[in-house]
Amino acid sequence: LQFLYLIDRSGARGGAGGCPPWAHAMAHGFKAGSRVAFLHPEFSWTLGKVTKVEQQGKKEIFKLTADEYPGEHSVDLHTLLYHARDELFEEEPHDLLMLTELHEATLLSCLKRRFLRDIVYTNIGTLVVSINPFKLIPCYQPQNTIQQYLAEGPIVQNQLPHAWSIAHQTYHELVNDRQNQTILISGESGAGKT
């Protein structure tokens, strides 16, 4: 699975010389044996280990091995490295705002692990992220669950995240507040918006 990058990579967030603060990896304690998440050239963020740090002129080159993908990978300071405490990559909250550390690597890891367990809807606060599994998943079929969402009242809190909970809550706000409501549905062609 390859997930989209969710943050701006322009480096415009500050730091010396336009370089983002997390780019100075050695200053952050990355060394041989460090457990990291890094931007794999093909598979987005992945977990791995620093096997060697080499100095090439003014550049520090990190040799890495990925847990899931064979081979050694080389990255320089312009590639993101993130200290990977294993427990951060085991969290699977229904709302990504509840992650202990909200970072692109932990967020994508959580979405991927939920997807692999057929949990394709995840909240980010009041937003619902959906990853189309391109298959039917029984726990999301209307005959199995829609009554459970409806029985919750105006705010759905005890069910898995789902587009139904957004529609349900929006309907109740429309009725109670007597104000127009808007739901924005976005995604690529064929992503399952219908």
Side-chain angles (χ1 to χ4, degrees):
L1 297 173
Q2 185 171 7
F3 293 94
L4 298 174
Y5 299 127
L6 300 177
I7 62 173
D8 176 27
R9 301 215 179 287
S10 67
R13 286 185 249 159
C19 189
W22 27 254
H24 299 286
M26 286 306 288
H28 293 287
F30 293 108
K31 58 187 179 193
S34 293
R35 186 95 169 109
V36 295
F38 68 98
L39 279 174
H40 189 281
E42 294 178 54
F43 302 107
S44 186
W45 284 94
T46 188
L47 293 172
K49 184 184 281 188
V50 176
T51 56
K52 187 191 294 184
V53 181
E54 298 176 349
Q55 195 73 32
Q56 292 183 359
K58 293 184 179 183
K59 282 187 176 180
E60 290 162 332
I61 304 298
F62 296 86
K63 302 290 186 177
L64 305 155
T65 56
D67 292 357
E68 295 182 54
Y69 310 105
E72 187 173 69
H73 309 281
S74 296
V75 298
D76 64 23
L77 287 177
H78 298 291
T79 301
L80 298 176
L81 291 175
Y82 177 71
H83 280 286
R85 294 190 342 248
D86 286 335
E87 66 271 13
L88 297 178
F89 291 86
E90 295 169 1
E91 296 179 324
E92 288 188 47
H94 294 315
D95 188 336
L96 294 176
L97 295 180
M98 300 305 294
L99 288 169
T100 301
E101 289 188 20
L102 187 56
H103 181 275
E104 183 179 6
T106 57
L107 185 145
L108 291 174
S109 173
C110 180
L111 288 174
K112 178 181 178 180
R113 291 198 5 238
R114 288 173 64 86
F115 178 85
L116 293 174
R117 292 190 317 111
D118 287 338
I119 302 173
V120 297
Y121 295 100
T122 306
N123 288 335
I124 303 178
T126 59
L127 303 175
V128 175
V129 174
S130 174
I131 302 173
N132 192 341
F134 296 103
K135 66 179 182 180
L136 292 177
I137 299 176
C139 71
Y140 293 121
Q141 298 308 303
Q143 65 274 19
N144 296 338
T145 55
I146 199 161
Q147 293 304 320
Q148 295 171 1
Y149 285 86
L150 293 174
E152 287 232 13
I155 299 176
V156 177
Q157 296 177 347
N158 298 317
Q159 302 300 318
L160 285 172
H162 197 286
W164 294 332
S165 62
I166 297 294
H168 181 73
Q169 191 164 330
T170 302
Y171 171 77
H172 281 280
E173 289 175 8
L174 176 69
V175 171
N176 294 336
D177 298 343
R178 298 191 182 281
Q179 292 183 347
N180 292 336
Q181 302 291 312
T182 301
I183 298 175
L184 175 65
I185 301 172
S186 176
E188 294 181 7
S189 177
K193 296 178 299 294
T194 306

